[in-house]
Amino acid sequence: QVQLVESGGGSVQTGGSLRLSCAASGYTYSMGWFRQAPGKEREGVAAIKTGGGCTVYADSVKGRFTISQDNTKTLYLQMNSLKPEDTALYYCAADNSVACNLSPHNYNYWGQGTQVTVSS
């Protein structure tokens, strides 16, 4: 069983930065960050294959966000140049079979979410 615990959300102004963390226990083949704004569907932000090999980003965050993972499997999302449209509840997710995929339907394990609010 995989358990995921996010931290690092908060409130910043436009152009600011935040770093999200996700502590993982259990086997994971791929991990990713997703977000859901009020009234919108959950969308993939970035994903990475555990141990390296591939990363993938949503077009809306390319060049601004960086996904990484350390040797304890803790997942990070460095978010720079934040915009008001980045405001959402951010989730960490993990899967045991699909690598570097941004579709929420392919992930079986989810954290509780951490709120990111960007004000103009």
Side-chain angles (χ1 to χ4, degrees):
Q1 187 74 6
V2 176
Q3 292 185 323
L4 305 169
V5 179
E6 303 103 331
S7 60
S11 298
V12 296
Q13 293 187 326
T14 297
S17 298
L18 284 173
R19 189 175 83 153
L20 306 182
S21 300
C22 175
S25 62
Y27 173 75
T28 63
Y29 183 70
S30 181
M31 296 184 71
W33 289 101
F34 296 79
R35 66 187 182 187
Q36 188 166 17
K40 295 188 177 181
E41 293 187 354
R42 190 170 299 187
E43 63 175 356
V45 175
I48 189 169
K49 179 177 176 294
T50 299
C54 69
T55 57
V56 62
Y57 294 91
D59 288 343
S60 59
V61 306
K62 281 181 182 177
R64 300 189 298 122
F65 291 11
T66 302
I67 190 170
S68 62
Q69 192 173 37
D70 66 20
N71 58 8
T72 68
K73 293 191 299 185
T74 298
L75 187 70
Y76 302 97
L77 185 68
Q78 179 65 44
M79 304 185 294
N80 298 328
S81 302
L82 283 161
K83 305 175 181 180
E85 50 265 43
D86 294 318
T87 295
L89 189 60
Y90 282 70
Y91 295 91
C92 170
D95 189 75
N96 292 335
S97 62
V98 179
C100 281
N101 189 289
L102 290 179
S103 172
H105 304 291
N106 288 322
Y107 288 78
N108 292 318
Y109 304 101
W110 294 85
Q112 80 286 356
T114 185
Q115 179 68 37
V116 171
T117 303
V118 185
S119 58
S120 57

